[in-house]
Amino acid sequence: MNSRIMFIGGVPGVGKTSISGYIARNTDIDIVLSSDYLREFLRPFAPQESHLETSVYDAWKFYGDMSDDNIIRGYLDQARPIMGGINRVIARALANGEDLIIESLYFVPDMMDEMVLKNAFLAYVYIDDPDLHRSRLEDRINYTHRNSPGSRLAAHLKEYRTIMDYSMDMARGRGIGLYSTDDYALARQRLLDDFRKFVDRR
């Protein structure tokens, strides 16, 4: 039996953690991983030029003034070791025949192995409305991140939405599905339905 693997990307506040849990519960998938923990594991070992020791919203500072280009440069520096780890984790799940969901801020399809691209269901979630995005960030302490106040992240909404726009362009270029979570209930049901269709086709 083929592995059922979902790789879902999105910046903080768009609902990827709660959606991953929803899909796991509705598909009986036991393994759900967050790239936040992979990043934490890699921090002591990652090359210095990846700048993993800093938050992604501050990584642009290694390149000078804040600009969209520098925000993306910092993001990609951090993404390289993370995406390498995600490739290895998914390859292991495929080899073992295990089901797996990974949710990740770092979502760079061009850094993914072809085997992963062919065998995993990839999706990117986003929020169209910036005000709603800010509100969701500030509210997430009540749901999934009880000791991580979203107000700290909301202060960096510009950086996150720059990363979001870049990642959405990358996803479009690869034909990867984009799911707006402005209507959260609709988005998670669409994702669940599309994931099931993907699994049924394999």
Side-chain angles (χ1 to χ4, degrees), residues 61-75:
K61 294 179 180 178
F62 293 96
Y63 295 104
D65 295 335
M66 180 191 278
S67 66
D68 288 356
D69 285 347
N70 285 343
I71 290 169
I72 297 307
R73 286 179 73 185
Y75 167 68

Side-chain angles (χ1 to χ4, degrees), residues 132-150:
L132 178 60
H133 194 174
R134 182 181 300 279
S135 173
R136 293 258 183 93
L137 276 170
E138 292 172 345
D139 205 32
R140 74 181 200 155
I141 193 171
N142 298 314
Y143 298 99
T144 57
H145 297 71
R146 291 185 295 275
N147 294 326
S148 179

Side-chain angles (χ1 to χ4, degrees), residues 107-161:
F107 189 89
V108 188
D110 286 354
M111 295 181 185
M112 299 194 74
D113 294 342
E114 283 302 316
M115 180 180 65
V116 171
L117 290 168
K118 289 178 181 176
N119 291 285
F121 176 82
L122 274 62
Y124 194 82
V125 294
Y126 68 98
I127 292 179
D128 262 324
D129 183 345
D131 292 332
L132 178 60
H133 194 174
R134 182 181 300 279
S135 173
R136 293 258 183 93
L137 276 170
E138 292 172 345
D139 205 32
R140 74 181 200 155
I141 193 171
N142 298 314
Y143 298 99
T144 57
H145 297 71
R146 291 185 295 275
N147 294 326
S148 179
S151 55
R152 173 178 61 87
L153 303 183
H156 298 280
L157 191 63
K158 186 262 190 298
E159 294 94 311
Y160 283 129
R161 290 188 68 82

Side-chain angles (χ1 to χ4, degrees), residues 21-34:
Y22 174 80
I23 291 172
R25 290 190 299 274
N26 281 275
T27 55
D28 295 321
I29 291 178
D30 295 324
I31 306 173
V32 181
L33 301 178
S34 167

